Amino acid sequence: MSPVSTPTWRNWAGNQTATPRRVTTPTSTDEVAAAVRAAAGDGQTVRMTGTGHSFTGAAVAEDVLLRPTGLTAVRSVDTASGLVTVEAGQPLHAFNRTLAEHGLALANMGDIQEQTVAGALQTATHGTGRDAAGLASQVHALELVLADGSVVTCSRDERPDLFDAARAGLGALGIVTAITWKTVPAFLLHAQEQPMKWDEVLARVDEFDAANEHFEFYWFPHTEGCLTKRNNRVEGPAKPLSRFKGWLDDEFMSNSLFEVINKVTHAVPALTPAVNQVSARALGARSFTDTSYKVFTSPRTVRFKEQEYAIPREHLVDALREVRGLFDRRDWKISFPIEVRLLPEEDAWLSMAYGRRSAFIAVHVYHRDDHADYFRGVEDVLTEMGGRPHWGKMHTRDAAYLETVYPRFKDFQAVRDAVDPDRRFANPYTRQVFGD
């Protein structure tokens, strides 16, 4: 395990920083355990980062920061059972390629694959799905280093309470060093992307939800324009976008040009509604068929800040209308589209979709823009509907609120008291959300 200098750590969006006392890069579970014991001996806290894609302070380390880059091995692949064990620091993009090489895949994913597998899991990263749920529902077992330096494995059969708590545990119960995933045979997705008006999308959202394995849509503020996305399994053959079309849509239009647009609207916010009108009119339909993870995920180089809430599915249309109503009453100039996704209920205690079919509403701003009034206005609407904030995205909720929307919140706290009574894995964010 190699100690390194301790420059300031910064997350991807640039809104979270930390200057830990010590930074190390463990290369094995035993070295993680040794680092935890050393931190305990010094009376220090310890956190392992991912790639910094959380917008909250989830990864902020005050004392000891463990980098995950030395823990990236694929330990085992069983193609018959679909069980694949990978170390915590492997990025999702590398994991996806490994799975594809063995004819396997994750059943559902979010739209970014830059995170480490453990970082994505611990913040309950999800995609959109009618039947297939988020990452927390695709885990078979976890290897954890606990606060006393012991190494344990948990699953539905072995230490099930720890498993249900730790699958979306924010690293507050222990340091995840390896994950055994329950994967599925590799599959192709046929993607259909179609522009549609606001009124039609809201009128047909139940239809689209029922008829598609993966449905999501984006609304462009200050316009009537939406972009719908419907992804469904097909036998093939694969018909991916051409190299030029992929570059034009996903690299140039969605990233390079969008960066320029945001620089302009940041400098002159009054231009935002007109720019969004042009962007909405420029949307075109497209369809293609490709390997599942290539359809689920997209490159994201324009830096932004994000807030996302999960609400009961039945409140979705009312929530969207209330949020849109805020644009009529507030002086907001928002260049980023609002993203809507759907998910079946999950059973990990701190999954945002725990115990209920859920709709997710995500709002974004350019990383240089002020977010406070916009995010708080949307947050007020969604918390009135029992909304649960995404653990890795910006919000103002604390333990007093979260206890009211998570039925197993006290059970989680009890498990935490048992495995980390001295709060070895605490940081400012866990103190906020768990009420230390």
Side-chain angles (χ1 to χ4, degrees):
M1 178 167 54
S2 56
V4 299
S5 60
T6 58
T8 297
W9 172 90
R10 183 172 283 103
N11 70 339
W12 177 81
N15 67 310
Q16 300 287 342
T17 60
T19 306
R21 298 172 183 269
R22 185 165 69 251
V23 178
T24 61
T25 306
T27 59
S28 67
T29 297
D30 287 344
E31 290 188 356
V32 172
V36 171
R37 288 192 293 268
D42 294 335
Q44 295 178 333
T45 57
V46 56
R47 301 285 292 176
M48 181 178 279
T49 64
T51 54
H53 269 266
S54 288
F55 302 89
T56 65
V60 168
E62 295 173 295
D63 294 330
V64 180
L65 183 153
L66 303 184
R67 287 182 169 165
T69 51
L71 293 169
T72 60
V74 177
R75 293 185 182 176
S76 64
V77 178
D78 185 336
T79 55
S81 66
L83 298 181
V84 180
T85 300
V86 62
E87 291 182 338
Q90 182 162 107
L92 279 168
H93 61 80
F95 188 48
N96 284 328
R97 290 195 298 270
T98 296
L99 293 180
E101 290 168 2
H102 290 87
L104 299 171
L106 292 169
N108 198 359
M109 289 191 65
D111 60 3
I112 296 175
Q113 59 172 342
E114 302 308 312
Q115 310 100 314
T116 62
V117 292
L121 176 66
Q122 287 296 281
T123 51
T125 296
H126 62 92
T128 189
R130 181 190 61 203
D131 310 306
L135 293 183
S137 294
Q138 301 176 60
V139 175
H140 177 77
L142 293 175
E143 179 183 88
L144 293 165
V145 174
L146 299 183
D148 61 1
S150 62
V151 180
V152 301
T153 300
C154 59
S155 66
R156 295 188 188 278
D157 299 320
E158 183 180 3
R159 303 188 70 155
D161 279 0
L162 180 60
F163 180 68
D164 285 340
R167 274 183 286 159
L170 288 173
L173 304 179
I175 294 177
V176 175
T177 48
I179 303 168
T180 300
W181 298 92
K182 176 63 175 173
T183 67
V184 300
F187 59 98
L188 297 174
L189 282 175
H190 179 61
Q192 293 177 278
E193 301 179 5
Q194 181 182 358
M196 200 171 291
K197 297 298 185 183
W198 164 273
D199 286 338
E200 182 179 3
V201 174
L202 265 59
R204 300 181 65 187
V205 66
D206 291 342
E207 170 196 339
F208 291 143
D209 183 12
N212 295 280
E213 292 176 90
H214 308 277
F215 170 69
E216 64 186 301
F217 70 93
Y218 299 80
W219 171 57
F220 289 77
H222 317 292
T223 81
E224 297 297 323
C226 297
L227 178 66
T228 62
K229 294 189 174 186
R230 288 169 277 179
N231 299 328
N232 292 284
R233 293 188 185 214
V234 292
E235 291 300 318
K239 296 180 180 178
L241 294 171
S242 69
R243 186 182 297 272
F244 174 75
K245 180 65 170 172
W247 171 82
L248 179 65
D249 290 353
D250 297 329
E251 298 288 347
F252 178 71
M253 298 288 288
S254 296
N255 286 290
S256 300
L257 181 59
F258 193 50
E259 176 78 41
V260 173
I261 287 171
N262 277 278
K263 287 180 177 178
V264 170
T265 56
H266 173 75
V268 189
L271 293 176
T272 304
V275 169
N276 280 15
Q277 291 285 352
V278 173
S279 297
R281 285 195 296 269
L283 293 174
R286 67 177 188 172
S287 64
F288 58 95
T289 300
D290 210 338
T291 305
S292 58
Y293 77 86
K294 295 179 182 179
V295 176
F296 284 138
T297 65
S298 303
R300 293 284 185 268
T301 60
V302 180
R303 294 183 188 267
F304 55 85
K305 295 175 285 187
E306 181 177 0
Q307 173 182 273
E308 183 174 35
Y309 267 80
I311 60 173
R313 170 65 180 82
E314 60 270 21
H315 296 329
L316 173 60
V317 172
D318 288 341
L320 290 172
R321 286 182 173 140
E322 287 200 35
V323 168
R324 182 167 184 176
L326 292 176
F327 280 83
D328 298 329
R329 302 190 297 272
R330 306 284 185 93
D331 187 30
W332 294 341
K333 300 294 186 290
I334 304 301
S335 60
F336 270 77
I338 292 178
E339 181 180 21
V340 178
R341 293 179 287 176
L342 308 166
L343 213 66
E345 68 176 67
E346 299 194 288
D347 62 358
W349 290 351
L350 294 189
S351 161
M352 288 82 71
Y354 176 82
R356 67 190 192 195
R357 184 156 175 76
S358 299
F360 291 77
I361 297 175
V363 295
H364 315 67
V365 299
Y366 188 49
H367 71 106
R368 295 169 61 193
D369 290 349
D370 181 58
H371 67 274
D373 188 59
Y374 177 43
F375 282 13
R376 188 56 185 264
V378 175
E379 185 176 49
D380 287 345
V381 169
L382 301 182
T383 53
E384 283 295 313
M385 298 179 175
R388 298 167 179 166
H390 192 300
W391 297 108
K393 299 177 184 179
M394 298 171 70
H395 66 91
T396 67
R397 300 297 90 184
D398 60 14
Y401 172 82
L402 295 167
E403 182 181 330
T404 69
V405 294
Y406 281 98
R408 303 302 297 269
F409 194 78
K410 287 187 176 180
D411 295 323
F412 178 91
Q413 290 176 314
V415 170
R416 189 176 182 222
D417 288 341
V419 297
D420 188 15
D422 297 324
R423 302 296 187 255
R424 188 66 50 216
F425 304 117
N427 73 355
Y429 184 58
T430 67
R431 296 182 193 111
Q432 172 192 333
V433 297
F434 299 137
D436 292 338

